[in-house]
Amino acid sequence: MSNPSILILPGDGIGQEVMAEVRKIITWFGDKRDLAFDVSEDLVGGAAYDKHGTPLHDDTMAKAQEVDAVLLGAVGGPKYDDLDFSVKPERGLLRLRKEMDLFANLRPAQCFDALADFSSLKKELVSGLDIMIVRELTSGVYFGEPRGIFEEGNERVGVNTQRYTESEIERAARAAFELAMRRDKKLCSMEKANVMESGILWREVVIEVSKDYPEVELSHMYADNGAMQLVRAPKQFDVIVTDNLFGDILSDCAAMLTGSLGMLPSASLGAPMENGRPKAMYEPVHGSAPDITGQGKANPSACILSFAMALRYSFDQGDEATRLETAVEKVLADGIRTADLMQADGGTAVSTSEMGDAVIAALNASL
Ligand code: NAD
């Protein structure tokens, strides 16, 4: 049988720097864990625009559709700010998400003990936190029609439409239940069924899907209360599923509970392919960070942890994913930090590649 395939799209700015560290880790798993991947690499974002005049070449799009998982760094940068909207670096990313039909966005909020002081919440509220937000990514108010700014009488009116079909809700809910089954078997669905018909339908469909997952304890919460609960007592949650708009806000809110942008991974999953693996793209939450590009200051952890998600959700290697996450945690616990994770009172920051090397050393120590 051939090896599972990965397409690496480092993109722009620090995307290239953090992805170099992920490449080392992929090689380590091939050498030391007999987990070899067929890795190919291509351009996206500004880097693709510079070469092809488009932020995502059709050939790259076709490759992304064929591989088992796409790993993306970050796109964008000041050099491209004045480009026409249709060829801006971000359009490459949006095209990947749209054409791969990645409808479930997974954003973990996990707080490593060593970083609990970086949270804006009290340490005891976030220490050991491990929750997962599943956001529906391809429908809802960001896509619904009608939309636009219209003349009405003697003034303008701005219109967006929240619209969900049963099947769109069902597939997002199913993805969330599947995740809950692999975790603590607790799922909280968030909507505004008190004031929105789309929320009533959301709740009904989630309840219907729950019949296939009797082991999962399902609860429902209005999204505004959900936001409050996330900052009041975040550890009450395991998996949260919600729509595109609420998920956008709630996942950013939950992510910041953990402190640093350089630590946040994400996954976007679509329907299963012929081999049973979901269409999938893994990427750090952060952008291309032009302010620190080329200085060896980027924290590669978010990108490394995104690869750990790929091990777990695309390649069914949960134990190896945990091995990698534990290695990152150990490095941080040992006080090895990139500049973004240094406290004001000192210590010496390691570079991006030193951080990657430290994770490799921790992986070696795990054998
Ligand atoms: P950003 O995430 O690039 O940076 C925000 C701040 O966080 C900066 O100070 C940066 O130095 C710091 N930071 C980010 N990642 C870090 C890391 N791994 N290690 C250490 N520090 C890190 O957001 P921005 O400055 O608003 O955007 C810069 C560019 O990135 C823009 O062109 C934007 O459009 C693009 N962007 C792309 C993505 C993506 O590719 N998914 C996401 C967000 C922004």
Side-chain angles (χ1 to χ4, degrees):
M1 232 173 68
S2 60
N3 296 328
S5 54
I6 295 178
L7 173 63
I8 292 186
L9 301 173
D12 307 319
I14 65 162
Q16 312 211 1
E17 299 167 40
V18 295
M19 200 57 89
E21 303 314 303
V22 175
R23 261 190 238 103
K24 288 182 193 167
I25 283 161
I26 295 175
T27 305
W28 185 90
F29 276 97
D31 292 347
K32 300 287 170 70
R33 301 302 297 158
D34 208 14
L35 254 182
F37 296 95
D38 288 338
V39 180
S40 54
E41 187 164 326
D42 214 327
L43 304 172
V44 69
Y49 177 81
D50 286 341
K51 177 144 188 227
H52 302 299
T54 164
L56 188 75
H57 195 276
D58 290 346
D59 291 348
T60 317
M61 187 65 241
K63 271 190 227 165
Q65 296 282 21
E66 278 163 22
V67 292
D68 294 316
V70 175
L71 298 185
L72 187 131
V75 298
K79 182 178 164 192
Y80 308 104
D81 281 353
D82 295 331
L83 288 180
D84 186 72
F85 188 67
S86 63
V87 288
K88 272 195 186 297
E90 290 75 9
R91 301 300 297 173
L93 188 53
L94 294 178
R95 182 175 174 200
L96 281 161
R97 286 181 185 155
K98 183 163 191 294
E99 294 194 18
M100 291 170 76
D101 199 12
L102 303 173
F103 57 80
N105 183 225
L106 277 50
R107 293 262 303 259
Q110 200 174 9
C111 187
F112 296 125
D113 278 350
L115 299 184
D117 283 334
F118 282 86
S119 175
S120 49
L121 295 191
K122 290 194 202 90
K123 189 170 180 170
E124 62 269 24
L125 288 183
V126 293
S127 183
L129 178 76
D130 180 8
I131 61 183
M132 175 75 82
I133 300 206
V134 181
R135 165 189 171 193
E136 197 290 325
L137 199 60
T138 51
S139 185
V141 74
Y142 293 159
F143 295 93
E145 298 282 348
R147 62 183 298 163
I149 299 175
F150 305 105
E151 297 288 335
E152 203 174 275
N154 54 4
E155 63 175 354
R156 293 180 303 158
V157 53
V159 176
N160 289 93
T161 303
Q162 167 85 333
R163 183 179 189 279
Y164 270 108
T165 65
E166 286 181 288
S167 55
E168 287 167 344
I169 301 168
E170 189 196 327
R171 63 186 192 171
R174 219 167 265 290
F177 276 105
E178 290 289 335
L179 267 170
M181 287 297 288
R182 292 172 182 224
R183 296 170 49 99
D184 289 344
K185 300 193 170 65
K186 266 173 63 184
L187 176 63
C188 182
S189 170
M190 295 188 184
E191 25 57 14
K192 292 276 289 176
N194 49 341
V195 286
M196 295 171 76
E197 283 73 11
S198 57
I200 295 172
L201 184 68
W202 182 279
R203 190 175 286 213
E204 284 176 8
V205 173
V206 170
I207 290 171
E208 197 55 40
V209 174
S210 73
K211 293 177 184 155
D212 292 340
Y213 300 89
E215 286 172 61
V216 176
E217 181 196 319
L218 172 67
S219 59
H220 305 273
M221 207 176 262
Y222 297 140
D224 49 345
N225 183 28
M228 282 200 282
Q229 295 300 328
L230 269 174
V231 292
R232 191 188 70 84
K235 283 192 247 178
Q236 68 183 285
F237 298 111
D238 177 26
V239 181
I240 293 170
V241 63
T242 188
D243 73 15
N244 202 344
L245 172 63
F246 296 140
D248 195 0
I249 297 163
L250 293 171
S251 64
D252 269 12
C253 172
M256 272 304 112
L257 300 175
T258 70
S260 166
L261 203 46
M263 293 301 304
L264 300 172
S266 80
S268 301
L269 306 180
M273 300 184 283
E274 265 176 29
N275 61 13
R277 294 189 174 115
K279 283 247 161 105
M281 182 157 76
Y282 299 88
E283 55 184 310
V285 169
H286 64 73
S288 60
D291 54 335
I292 57 166
T293 294
Q295 302 172 31
K297 285 186 182 166
N299 183 352
S301 302
C303 206
I304 291 171
L305 294 171
S306 300
F307 176 61
M309 292 185 83
L311 287 172
R312 181 171 284 119
Y313 299 120
S314 281
F315 304 121
D316 226 2
Q317 295 286 341
D319 290 347
E320 298 303 326
T322 304
R323 181 190 296 281
L324 181 52
E325 288 159 353
T326 309
V328 173
E329 187 168 11
K330 180 172 183 309
V331 168
L332 296 170
D334 288 347
I336 301 172
R337 314 271 167 93
T338 41
D340 55 314
L341 299 179
M342 297 307 292
Q343 299 282 27
D345 54 359
T348 311
V350 299
S351 69
T352 308
S353 68
E354 285 167 337
M355 187 76 185
D357 292 343
V359 175
I360 296 276
L363 284 171
N364 282 327
S366 76
L367 296 176

